[in-house]
Amino acid sequence: MTNRAYNFNAGPAALPLEVLERAQAEFVDFRNTGMSIMEMSHRGAVYESVHNEAQERLLSLLGNPKGYKVLFLQGGASTQFAMLPMNLLGAGQTASYVMTGSWAKKALSEAKLIGETHIAASSEADKYMKLPDVSNLSLPDRTAYVHLTSNETIEGTQFKSFPDTGSVPLIADMSSDIFCKPFDLNQFGMIYAGAQKNLGPSGITVVIAREELVSESPKTIPTMLRYSTHTENNSLYNTPPSFSVYMVNEVLKWIEEQGGLKGIEQKNIEKAELLYNTIDSSGDFYRGCVDAADRSLMNVTFRLASEELEKQFIKASEQEGFVGLKGHRSVGGLRASIYNAAPYESVKALTDFMSHFQKTNG
């Protein structure tokens, strides 16, 4: 067994070792076909069975809610930022956005190119280090949808519960925290996620939507950017990222083996508590960036007394085999991304390193 890095990358991120080993075993000859899954036709029965199985598993982990379609798309969440208003924001309607940080801002700026937008709530005044109150959103008449980012990867905030938007569809970018804990899909008109954090490798974007939202798209937008194109063709209108779909299916099997979303949540809470406790009990040597109530289970952001000391921390951590602890360039500081596949042992090794670093530099 090769030596595995302590991988705290924000994405593409750690994948479960068991999944990587299974994929390795099946890589050259998938199900005795004499081919890798990457080499076979996406129109063939073998690939299609994997494709359909992954869709079914996604819904099954969410309790098989009725009336939803799973789409496998490409272009990441960043393409969804535009595809969403292109498909759902009609003339005379307004799209409402909840502003929570870097990714919410990107989603809003794309929607502004397409039609009328409205900021329903914002925590910009708090430098996005806490979440805005969304318990009583004031929405314009003819609001097409309300959009929020469930977890801000860069700042390190995460919604613990979601607003009730009544008859207006609630849509969430869940790229960085999908399947880290159970949630009620019925609250949402649509959720979407780039896979490269909790679901699999990069190259595939998962969309789960109420059928009525994705069954009819305006004929004025390009074919590939219509949700209806992919709904009508079971996400097989063009060649899908077949290896990524296969990997997502394997990661979903792994989540089932961990006790489903409840089991995964328990493990994630244990990892996050260990790390936040180390930060909070350091006597201000380490300082958490985010308001304690809004801290993310997935992206733990923190600072040291000076940028100089942070650089030292990064350098020393890299020498010890830790990867990806530098904060995003737009906010600086430090960040440990502890997605589903980051093992408890890696987080424990990190907290041991942090304690040692404090002793020698405190």
Side-chain angles (χ1 to χ4, degrees):
M1 174 60 220
T2 53
N3 204 18
R4 297 275 288 161
Y6 297 123
N7 185 351
F8 294 100
N9 276 328
L15 284 160
L17 179 60
E18 300 93 317
V19 170
L20 293 171
E21 287 173 341
R22 274 182 225 166
Q24 185 180 37
E26 296 184 320
F27 191 70
V28 175
D29 183 4
F30 184 66
R31 296 186 184 170
N32 301 317
T33 56
M35 290 179 281
S36 169
I37 194 156
M38 289 193 287
E39 300 174 290
M40 57 182 63
S41 167
H42 62 292
R43 306 278 175 221
V46 176
Y47 172 74
E48 258 192 82
S49 71
V50 172
H51 186 93
N52 294 338
E53 199 178 292
Q55 291 173 335
E56 285 156 19
R57 267 210 167 81
L58 280 159
L59 290 175
S60 137
L61 280 161
L62 293 169
N64 287 314
K66 296 281 168 279
Y68 285 86
K69 284 293 263 193
V70 175
L71 304 179
F72 292 142
L73 308 179
Q74 294 171 64
S78 296
T79 297
Q80 291 309 302
F81 296 163
M83 201 165 160
L84 183 60
M86 286 169 99
N87 282 266
L88 301 186
L89 179 54
Q93 291 183 311
T94 304
S96 285
Y97 281 73
V98 176
M99 301 311 293
T100 48
S102 307
W103 291 107
K105 281 201 290 199
K106 286 187 170 164
L108 174 66
S109 68
E110 290 294 287
K112 280 179 172 170
L113 301 173
I114 313 295
E116 286 301 313
T117 60
H118 161 77
I119 294 178
S122 175
S123 55
E124 188 176 7
D126 299 296
K127 296 191 165 66
Y128 300 124
M129 288 302 138
K130 61 186 291 194
L131 292 172
D133 179 11
V134 292
S135 58
N136 197 9
L137 296 175
S138 160
L139 302 175
D141 294 339
R142 302 209 60 209
T143 297
Y145 59 83
V146 175
H147 180 281
L148 61 75
T149 308
S150 59
N151 184 84
E152 284 283 1
T153 326
I154 291 174
E155 288 80 8
T157 57
Q158 183 182 31
F159 279 100
K160 307 293 183 280
S161 61
F162 300 103
D164 179 357
T165 54
S167 60
V168 177
L170 178 62
I171 295 178
D173 171 5
M174 291 193 169
S175 293
S176 53
D177 71 341
I178 192 170
F179 286 3
C180 77
K181 58 185 179 23
F183 66 95
D184 180 9
L185 184 64
N186 291 302
Q187 281 186 277
F188 296 91
M190 180 190 295
I191 62 169
Y192 63 90
Q196 66 278 7
K197 301 169 195 300
N198 262 351
L199 290 178
S202 59
I204 176 174
T205 311
V206 171
V207 172
I208 308 178
R210 286 194 186 280
E211 288 184 37
E212 65 267 20
L213 287 180
V214 290
S215 55
E216 280 185 51
S217 300
K219 300 289 184 279
T220 50
I221 59 179
T223 308
M224 276 299 286
L225 295 173
R226 293 178 208 159
Y227 287 126
S228 59
T229 300
H230 306 286
T231 308
E232 287 159 15
N233 294 281
N234 189 28
S235 301
L236 293 164
Y237 176 78
N238 71 326
T239 310
S242 49
F243 186 72
S244 295
V245 172
Y246 156 76
M247 286 294 283
V248 166
N249 191 38
E250 292 303 318
V251 170
L252 297 173
K253 282 184 200 170
W254 175 83
I255 291 175
E256 289 170 348
E257 289 156 11
Q258 309 309 303
L261 299 185
K262 272 210 163 69
I264 280 285
E265 178 182 37
Q266 199 41 53
K267 289 182 163 71
N268 286 332
I269 288 170
E270 284 166 18
K271 293 185 299 191
E273 279 181 352
L274 178 62
L275 191 41
Y276 283 122
N277 288 341
T278 302
I279 292 166
D280 293 342
S281 63
S282 71
D284 256 10
F285 183 81
Y286 299 107
R287 293 190 317 279
C289 298
V290 169
D291 207 69
D294 297 328
R295 284 171 163 178
S296 169
L297 280 178
M298 299 283 96
N299 307 101
V300 178
T301 52
F302 58 102
R303 304 288 321 222
L304 292 172
S306 69
E307 287 189 19
E308 206 37 62
L309 197 54
E310 288 171 352
K311 281 183 187 147
Q312 249 180 280
F313 180 95
I314 295 293
K315 196 173 173 199
S317 72
E318 284 170 352
Q319 287 165 351
E320 295 297 321
F322 294 94
V323 176
L325 290 171
K326 199 174 179 179
H328 190 272
R329 61 184 178 276
S330 64
V331 294
L334 302 160
R335 168 177 61 176
S337 295
I338 51 173
Y339 301 121
N340 289 355
Y344 183 86
E345 296 69 38
S346 290
V347 180
K348 178 75 176 82
L350 174 58
T351 56
D352 291 346
F353 168 79
M354 287 167 73
S355 301
H356 178 71
F357 186 83
Q358 181 175 356
K359 279 199 189 86
T360 51
N361 295 277

